[in-house]
Amino acid sequence: GESVGLHLPTLSVQEGDNSIINCAYSNSASDYFIWYKQESGKGPQFIIDIRSNMDKRQGQRVTVLLNKTVKHLSLQIAATQPGDSAVYFCAETQQAGTALIFGKGTTLSVSS
Amino acid sequence: DAGVTQSPTHLIKTRGQQVTLRCSPISGHKSVSWYQQVLGQGPQFIFQYYEKEERGRGNFPDRFSARQFPNYSSELNVNALLLGDSALYLCASSLDSDRGTDTQYFGPGTRLTVL
């Protein structure tokens, strides 16, 4: 079978490395997915989104990959910087839905 | 441009009291959603309002209520506070909830502590 990236509650990387954060979503009917970054004491900050008719989308230093077959989402951060240290959440919503459903967060720690 | 604003920043209440939290959306956004974030977990959906009407409700007791005003700002009320209501309460705004896929932008949250 196809391997699926495991969700890790914490990820530690060195400055300059590439980071990959994984997320398994719950609802096959979900058609819109978002990655948020949450720094300590702050609200979630939008990073990048992707709709279900796509399997890859790139932003500035970030790439989101969507695998609908195994209901898996990943966030790749290139050249990770200390300012990227935060908790990262994936969120999903259905086409006609209103509520965001958040996955388990991953705490990214970047050391210089 | 101002983002989503919330007040107060922090709040301490005792069990049984009532609390009102306030949110102002991004200018031009007509939809406001409320989420509860318990320490160490992801946000959980409480309510969404669009054009002053409730468009969605999460699995929260009737002690939780909300409303949206003509200027699209919103209030979240929680009655008969319990210790378990201690959390970060987040407000998010989006342009139009009818499309269901509009990006929700979050405010800084109100940290509620119930003693």
Side-chain angles (χ1 to χ4, degrees):
Chain A
E2 184 175 358
S3 64
V4 175
L6 295 175
H7 168 262
L8 298 174
T10 61
L11 178 64
S12 297
V13 301
Q14 292 284 324
E15 182 178 3
D17 287 351
N18 295 331
S19 303
I20 299 176
I21 300 172
N22 295 303
C23 174
Y25 63 91
S26 59
N27 193 336
S28 56
S30 292
D31 84 330
Y32 179 58
F33 306 87
I34 313 103
W35 280 100
Y36 287 95
K37 171 187 178 184
Q38 188 173 26
E39 297 174 285
S40 182
K42 297 184 179 180
Q45 176 189 352
F46 171 83
I47 302 173
I48 192 168
D49 59 1
I50 188 168
R51 300 186 191 275
S52 60
N53 60 353
M54 305 171 67
D55 52 23
K56 180 180 180 179
R57 190 165 187 220
Q58 289 183 288
Q60 188 174 11
R61 281 201 308 118
V62 294
T63 300
V64 55
L65 300 177
L66 175 64
N67 184 330
K68 296 181 286 295
T69 302
V70 292
K71 295 191 291 185
H72 180 260
L73 198 64
S74 69
L75 176 70
Q76 300 178 2
I77 305 174
T80 313
Q81 303 168 359
D84 295 326
S85 294
V87 180
Y88 289 80
F89 291 99
C90 65
E92 61 183 295
T93 187
Q94 295 180 40
Q95 184 171 6
T98 56
L100 288 174
I101 301 169
F102 283 79
K104 299 176 183 178
T106 294
T107 301
L108 176 65
S109 298
V110 184
S111 52
S112 52
Chain B
D1 286 344
V4 177
T5 58
Q6 293 185 244
S7 63
T9 305
H10 296 87
L11 204 50
I12 299 174
K13 293 285 189 178
T14 56
R15 281 177 295 176
Q17 285 189 311
Q18 174 264 342
V19 68
T20 298
L21 311 180
R22 295 175 177 83
C23 170
S24 292
I26 293 170
S27 177
H29 284 194
K30 298 181 179 179
S31 180
V32 168
S33 300
W34 288 95
Y35 293 81
Q36 180 196 65
Q37 187 176 26
V38 174
L39 197 63
Q41 297 182 19
Q44 277 199 298
F45 174 73
I46 310 174
F47 284 111
Q48 184 178 59
Y49 276 77
Y50 174 69
E51 291 281 13
K52 302 182 294 296
E53 290 188 3
E54 181 182 305
R55 285 298 178 91
R57 184 185 184 116
N59 188 23
F60 281 81
D62 291 343
R63 299 185 296 108
F64 289 77
S65 63
R67 56 179 176 169
Q68 187 177 31
F69 298 99
N71 67 353
Y72 303 109
S73 66
S74 178
E75 286 183 350
L76 174 70
N77 295 284
V78 187
N79 294 322
L81 285 167
L82 303 174
L83 295 179
D85 294 331
S86 295
L88 180 68
Y89 287 85
L90 294 161
C91 174
S93 77
S94 57
L95 198 59
D96 182 347
S97 83
D98 276 356
R99 291 189 287 183
T101 55
D102 276 337
T103 302
Q104 294 186 27
Y105 296 92
F106 285 84
T110 293
R111 173 70 63 187
L112 172 64
T113 302
V114 182
L115 302 177

